[in-house]
Amino acid sequence: MSIWTRISEAIAALAKGESLSAVFERLRTPPERSVAFTIAVIALGAKMAKADGQVTRDEVTAFREVFHISAQDEAQAAKVFNLARQDVAGFEDYAARIKSMFGDETEPMCDLMEGLFHIAMADGEYHPNEDVFLSRVAEIFGFDPARFKSIRARFVPEAERDPYDVLGVPHGAPMEEVRKAWRQAVRDSHPDQMIARGLPEEAVKLAEKRMIAINRAWEEINQAA
């Protein structure tokens, strides 16, 4: 059974009136966590796409870049989008349920935030309303401002970008601390690690952009040392 069939079944349960909490409760443990992750990106991404007042073809294409959809799964994926549009739950409900499901595990929620940033930047513009939306989701996830700033710095070219922010260490931290943070970030960004914490195989492309930003930040700090 493909992931899109399982996702469709879960969203169909929502459309029939089953509570969001009940659906996510069934998806709490691997491998079903990947279903919950994808539902979250679908729902939050669709609602965020409206934050700048329009849903563009670029944003739809960006979702397809995050989740590689095979030809045989296209019809099922389209069904998922249609079911998601029918759901009346607000984005804060989804964000809170995802937070509840993952608890203190911040990395899966970081993966999800990166997927949303990828979609937000698909049209080449980071709208102020998208920033408000994403900062609110990050707040619900329990991210402090520094963590949100670190993720945003990886995706938004015009955002205030400091390589120390990207690696999540204080500006001017000792090189040993920076090296330790870089190595941990590289380990956390390995596709096997991302899949183990709930990211579906279809979405490991997210790791590529993260790795580029992480390595670039390390090189900048290392060269300046």
Side-chain angles (χ1 to χ4, degrees):
M1 181 185 298
S2 81
I3 187 174
W4 293 104
T5 300
R6 306 202 315 273
I7 293 167
S8 181
E9 291 174 350
I11 296 183
L14 292 173
K16 292 177 181 177
E18 189 168 352
S19 71
L20 190 63
S21 57
V23 170
F24 277 120
E25 183 64 32
R26 294 201 303 272
L27 306 175
R28 181 176 292 275
T29 57
E32 296 308 308
R33 269 189 177 187
S34 63
V35 176
F37 180 94
T38 311
I39 290 173
V41 176
I42 291 171
L44 294 176
K47 296 176 190 304
M48 181 187 64
K50 297 178 181 178
D52 60 3
Q54 57 185 343
V55 179
T56 69
R57 183 181 299 274
D58 288 332
E59 286 163 332
V60 174
T61 300
F63 185 88
R64 292 176 62 87
E65 290 176 355
V66 175
F67 294 94
H68 297 287
I69 305 172
S70 64
Q72 60 265 32
D73 285 329
E74 285 185 357
Q76 197 66 41
K79 182 179 179 183
V80 170
F81 285 121
N82 289 332
L83 289 171
R85 279 198 292 267
Q86 296 170 17
D87 183 27
V88 297
F91 80 91
E92 292 179 325
D93 291 334
Y94 275 95
R97 293 302 175 186
I98 287 293
K99 167 62 177 173
S100 175
M101 184 175 68
F102 287 108
D104 295 330
E105 298 177 65
T106 60
E107 284 305 319
M109 292 182 286
C110 181
D111 296 333
L112 197 156
M113 287 294 298
E114 290 183 348
L116 294 176
F117 266 103
H118 184 84
I119 294 171
M121 291 302 301
D123 57 2
E125 181 180 355
Y126 188 57
H127 194 279
N129 287 347
E130 291 174 327
D131 188 65
V132 171
F133 179 98
L134 288 169
S135 59
R136 175 56 181 150
V137 171
E139 181 183 352
I140 294 171
F141 284 174
F143 291 179
D144 60 26
R147 186 68 179 272
F148 178 71
K149 187 177 180 180
S150 172
I151 299 172
R152 185 173 59 189
R154 300 173 190 168
F155 287 85
V156 184
E158 63 270 22
E160 180 183 350
R161 185 188 178 281
D162 187 297
Y164 290 92
D165 290 338
V166 174
L167 294 178
V169 294
H171 190 276
M175 281 302 296
E176 187 55 39
E177 182 180 345
V178 176
R179 183 180 291 106
K180 182 179 179 180
W182 168 65
R183 288 175 174 170
Q184 184 62 55
V186 169
R187 284 194 293 270
D188 290 341
S189 302
H190 191 282
D192 289 346
Q193 288 290 328
M194 298 178 83
I195 291 171
R197 60 180 178 253
L199 193 78
E201 292 182 21
E202 291 86 349
V204 294
K205 185 179 178 69
L206 286 175
E208 296 176 11
K209 182 165 286 191
R210 180 191 294 190
M211 284 298 297
I212 290 171
I214 287 169
N215 286 328
R216 182 184 296 135
W218 163 249
E219 289 171 5
E220 288 179 14
I221 295 173
N222 197 35
Q223 290 172 1

